[in-house]
Amino acid sequence: MDDPLLDEHMEKMKPYLMKWHREHSVMLLTSPYITLHYEVVMEGFAPPKDMLCQSYLYSITEAFRELVRTHYYAQAAYQIEIELREKGDVGWSNYWKFEVKNYYFRMVIPRIISLLDYVAVMINELSGCELVKDEWKVYFNPLKSLLRKQKQEVGWLSLKEIEELNLILSPIYKDISREDRKILNRYRNTATHRYFVGIDELTVSFQRRKLSEIDQRMLNTQQTHSYGMRGRPEYTFDELNTTAEKLLSNLDGVLSKLMQMHMMKRSVKQMEE
């Protein structure tokens, strides 16, 4: 290892590292997310319903705080990436782009979707696992559909609470098109179960793709799929970031309203300014 060269690089990046941490801290301190202003109250002796709310809400709020911190680390790195690129320092700009920004941003979308599943699990537990019997098959979108069809109390949830939950959960995809939802889910599933997804870069360049009818005629083949090289990245930061920010804002709206429900009053309190 070339220690002098490493020291030289560290010295050059020191102002940007300090700026990165500062910008991240400023974003946290001035964050518009309402959920960050609540904390969960843990009581040792409380009715089972309250204990369930406290336990799951603690997990959910901690996951949300970590998600927001991760998101802001990526956004702060993005600012430095742009600044260095504008100064003509493409090499270091790419370092902040691929090694820092993408490192943090890559985790944002999967964590948002996982957090929605955490909410679904809490609601299912409050139903006494009557909505979904198998705890390992609880996912946000299917549970949301089941909840809309529920016309009577279930478990610890009264009909009034079910109706309120339906209202709270309904705006989660506000301003997000069906196509964007497909992109988010495909990204999350690929990143979680398939391979290391490239953002503004190609990671798995040789892939199987579905042939359209036009492709089949041009290639004179009955095959429905073929293998070939991809010409451009699957995802760009700009397209993912715009949708992720909308979904994160909607998630904050859902969580903050959950915490304001009457059944949560013994489980949360608003932090003092």
Side-chain angles (χ1 to χ4, degrees):
M1 184 175 70
D2 191 335
D3 287 337
L5 182 61
L6 177 61
D7 291 340
E8 179 186 335
H9 286 170
M10 289 297 294
E11 191 64 29
K12 183 176 182 179
M13 281 297 106
K14 187 184 292 184
Y16 295 103
L17 287 166
M18 292 177 66
K19 183 175 183 178
W20 178 48
H21 282 288
R22 184 184 184 282
E23 290 302 317
H24 167 264
S25 298
V26 169
M27 289 176 184
L28 274 177
L29 290 170
T30 59
S31 177
Y33 299 127
I34 301 170
T35 305
L36 298 177
H37 299 288
Y38 286 90
E39 62 180 340
V40 177
V41 178
M42 301 295 290
E43 294 184 13
F45 300 96
K49 182 178 181 178
D50 291 336
M51 293 292 287
L52 277 173
C53 290
Q54 291 166 19
S55 298
Y56 281 96
L57 277 180
Y58 179 79
S59 170
I60 288 167
T61 54
E62 287 301 298
F64 184 77
R65 292 181 202 285
E66 188 171 288
L67 167 62
V68 171
R69 286 197 298 269
T70 302
H71 175 64
Y72 285 157
Y73 270 129
Q75 301 307 311
Y78 183 42
Q79 292 183 7
I80 294 173
E81 171 202 332
I82 293 172
E83 180 180 336
L84 286 166
R85 191 170 298 277
E86 288 175 347
K87 290 180 178 179
D89 198 338
V90 177
W92 278 111
S93 175
N94 283 339
Y95 171 82
W96 282 93
K97 177 177 184 176
F98 295 111
E99 301 296 332
V100 185
K101 181 193 73 182
N102 281 3
Y103 172 81
Y104 286 96
F105 183 73
R106 201 181 303 279
M107 297 179 276
V108 169
I109 291 171
R111 286 188 177 187
I112 292 175
I113 297 174
S114 292
L115 232 164
L116 290 174
D117 289 340
Y118 298 170
V119 172
V121 168
M122 179 181 71
I123 293 171
N124 192 56
E125 289 293 332
L126 288 169
S127 80
C129 294
E130 288 297 317
L131 290 171
V132 182
K133 303 288 187 184
D134 188 341
E135 62 180 304
W136 298 107
K137 294 182 179 178
V138 181
Y139 301 101
F140 181 79
N141 288 329
L143 184 125
K144 185 165 167 276
S145 298
L146 288 171
L147 203 63
R148 280 202 306 268
K149 298 173 184 175
Q150 192 66 31
K151 301 302 179 185
Q152 60 184 22
E153 65 179 40
V154 58
W156 284 289
L157 293 174
S158 68
L159 182 57
K160 182 180 178 181
E161 288 168 341
I162 290 170
E163 291 171 347
E164 189 176 0
L165 283 169
N166 281 324
L167 287 173
I168 289 171
L169 300 181
S170 61
I172 188 63
Y173 296 117
K174 184 182 70 173
D175 298 328
I176 299 174
S177 68
R178 188 172 295 276
E179 185 58 34
D180 284 339
R181 286 174 60 180
K182 287 181 181 178
I183 290 172
L184 289 173
N185 282 312
R186 187 170 68 246
Y187 172 89
R188 188 258 188 169
N189 291 336
T190 303
T192 304
H193 304 295
R194 294 295 177 261
Y195 55 84
F196 185 74
V197 177
I199 303 173
D200 291 325
E201 63 176 328
L202 282 167
T203 52
V204 180
S205 55
F206 191 71
Q207 291 189 15
R208 185 173 184 259
R209 70 181 183 91
K210 186 175 182 179
L211 294 175
S212 66
E213 291 183 5
I214 295 174
D215 290 333
Q216 288 176 310
R217 287 198 297 270
M218 287 179 61
L219 297 172
N220 192 26
T221 181
Q222 297 299 314
Q223 293 181 357
T224 56
H225 292 79
S226 73
Y227 284 87
M229 297 292 292
R230 293 188 65 92
R232 60 189 180 88
E234 294 170 84
Y235 303 97
T236 67
F237 172 76
D238 289 339
E239 67 173 337
L240 290 177
N241 189 47
T242 299
T243 307
E245 287 192 329
K246 290 179 186 176
L247 189 54
L248 189 53
S249 178
N250 293 347
L251 175 61
D252 174 57
V254 166
L255 295 183
S256 60
K257 286 183 173 63
L258 269 177
M259 293 183 177
Q260 293 166 21
M261 289 182 70
H262 180 74
M263 70 173 177
M264 302 294 184
K265 68 177 184 178
R266 292 187 59 177
S267 303
V268 297
K269 67 177 182 179
Q270 200 160 5
M271 294 180 182
E272 296 181 4
E273 296 294 335

